[in-house]
Short mmCIF file of all heavy atoms in Angstrom, two decimals:
data_model
loop_
_atom_site.label_atom_id
_atom_site.label_comp_id
_atom_site.label_asym_id
_atom_site.label_seq_id
_atom_site.Cartn_x
_atom_site.Cartn_y
_atom_site.Cartn_z
N ALA A 50 -22.63 33.34 -22.90
CA ALA A 50 -21.97 34.52 -23.45
C ALA A 50 -22.59 34.97 -24.76
O ALA A 50 -22.64 36.16 -25.07
CB ALA A 50 -20.48 34.24 -23.63
N THR A 51 -23.05 34.00 -25.57
CA THR A 51 -23.59 34.32 -26.91
C THR A 51 -25.11 34.31 -26.97
O THR A 51 -25.69 34.58 -28.03
CB THR A 51 -23.04 33.32 -27.93
OG1 THR A 51 -23.44 31.98 -27.54
CG2 THR A 51 -21.52 33.38 -28.00
N SER A 52 -25.75 33.95 -25.82
CA SER A 52 -27.22 33.82 -25.78
C SER A 52 -27.72 32.86 -26.84
O SER A 52 -28.77 33.07 -27.49
CB SER A 52 -27.87 35.20 -25.96
OG SER A 52 -27.47 36.07 -24.94
N ASP A 53 -26.99 31.79 -27.04
CA ASP A 53 -27.34 30.77 -28.05
C ASP A 53 -28.27 29.76 -27.40
O ASP A 53 -27.84 28.90 -26.63
CB ASP A 53 -26.06 30.10 -28.55
CG ASP A 53 -26.31 29.17 -29.73
OD1 ASP A 53 -27.43 28.64 -29.84
OD2 ASP A 53 -25.37 28.96 -30.53
N ALA A 54 -29.56 29.84 -27.70
CA ALA A 54 -30.56 28.99 -27.07
C ALA A 54 -30.37 27.52 -27.43
O ALA A 54 -30.52 26.63 -26.58
CB ALA A 54 -31.97 29.44 -27.48
N ALA A 55 -30.03 27.25 -28.69
CA ALA A 55 -29.85 25.87 -29.13
C ALA A 55 -28.67 25.22 -28.42
O ALA A 55 -28.74 24.06 -27.96
CB ALA A 55 -29.63 25.82 -30.65
N LEU A 56 -27.56 25.97 -28.31
CA LEU A 56 -26.38 25.45 -27.62
C LEU A 56 -26.67 25.25 -26.13
O LEU A 56 -26.23 24.27 -25.53
CB LEU A 56 -25.20 26.40 -27.80
CG LEU A 56 -23.87 25.96 -27.16
CD1 LEU A 56 -23.43 24.61 -27.72
CD2 LEU A 56 -22.79 27.01 -27.39
N LYS A 57 -27.43 26.17 -25.55
CA LYS A 57 -27.79 26.06 -24.14
C LYS A 57 -28.62 24.80 -23.90
O LYS A 57 -28.41 24.08 -22.92
CB LYS A 57 -28.57 27.30 -23.72
CG LYS A 57 -29.01 27.28 -22.26
CD LYS A 57 -29.78 28.54 -21.92
CE LYS A 57 -30.25 28.52 -20.46
NZ LYS A 57 -31.03 29.74 -20.12
N HIS A 58 -29.54 24.52 -24.82
CA HIS A 58 -30.40 23.34 -24.71
C HIS A 58 -29.57 22.06 -24.82
O HIS A 58 -29.73 21.11 -24.04
CB HIS A 58 -31.47 23.38 -25.81
CG HIS A 58 -32.51 22.32 -25.67
ND1 HIS A 58 -32.31 21.02 -26.10
CD2 HIS A 58 -33.77 22.36 -25.15
CE1 HIS A 58 -33.39 20.31 -25.86
NE2 HIS A 58 -34.30 21.09 -25.27
N ALA A 59 -28.65 22.03 -25.78
CA ALA A 59 -27.81 20.84 -25.99
C ALA A 59 -26.89 20.61 -24.80
O ALA A 59 -26.69 19.48 -24.34
CB ALA A 59 -26.99 21.01 -27.27
N ALA A 60 -26.30 21.72 -24.28
CA ALA A 60 -25.41 21.60 -23.12
C ALA A 60 -26.18 21.11 -21.90
O ALA A 60 -25.66 20.33 -21.09
CB ALA A 60 -24.75 22.94 -22.83
N ALA A 61 -27.42 21.57 -21.75
CA ALA A 61 -28.24 21.14 -20.62
C ALA A 61 -28.57 19.65 -20.71
O ALA A 61 -28.52 18.93 -19.71
CB ALA A 61 -29.53 21.95 -20.57
N ALA A 62 -28.88 19.18 -21.94
CA ALA A 62 -29.16 17.76 -22.12
C ALA A 62 -27.92 16.92 -21.82
O ALA A 62 -27.99 15.87 -21.17
CB ALA A 62 -29.63 17.50 -23.55
N SER A 63 -26.77 17.39 -22.27
CA SER A 63 -25.51 16.70 -22.00
C SER A 63 -25.21 16.70 -20.49
O SER A 63 -24.77 15.70 -19.94
CB SER A 63 -24.37 17.39 -22.77
OG SER A 63 -23.13 16.80 -22.44
#
Side-chain angles (χ1 to χ4, degrees):
T51 60
S52 300
D53 188 332
L56 182 59
K57 180 180 179 181
H58 188 279
S63 176

